[in-house]
Amino acid sequence: MTTDQLLTIDSPQGIRYQAVSVKSEDHSNDLRVLEKLDIERVWWELLGVKFSYFMGNEVKLYCRYTAV
């Protein structure tokens, strides 16, 4: 269980945090990975931090596009 990014957002309402986890599309059907993401979500929510995750291979597609 890992968080890939912890963003610090400074807004007129004050400083807030947002945790982001990124997983490859290969893991999108893996029940254990999804369970761990849910544990991670609950952990951050208990700390009052918004949590989001992204699944996919967008970065790989982008790298392939820029290399051509």
Side-chain angles (χ1 to χ4, degrees), residues 23-31 33-34 55-57 60:
K23 303 292 181 216
S24 73
E25 195 171 322
D26 300 337
H27 295 112
S28 63
N29 293 325
D30 185 337
L31 182 59
V33 170
L34 298 175
M55 283 197 177
N57 294 324
K60 188 179 351 179

Side-chain angles (χ1 to χ4, degrees), residues 30-48:
D30 185 337
L31 182 59
R32 184 62 185 142
V33 170
L34 298 175
E35 288 172 339
K36 290 194 290 185
L37 275 172
D38 196 45
I39 293 168
E40 194 173 358
R41 177 190 60 79
V42 169
W43 168 259
W44 285 113
E45 286 182 359
L46 287 171
L47 294 174

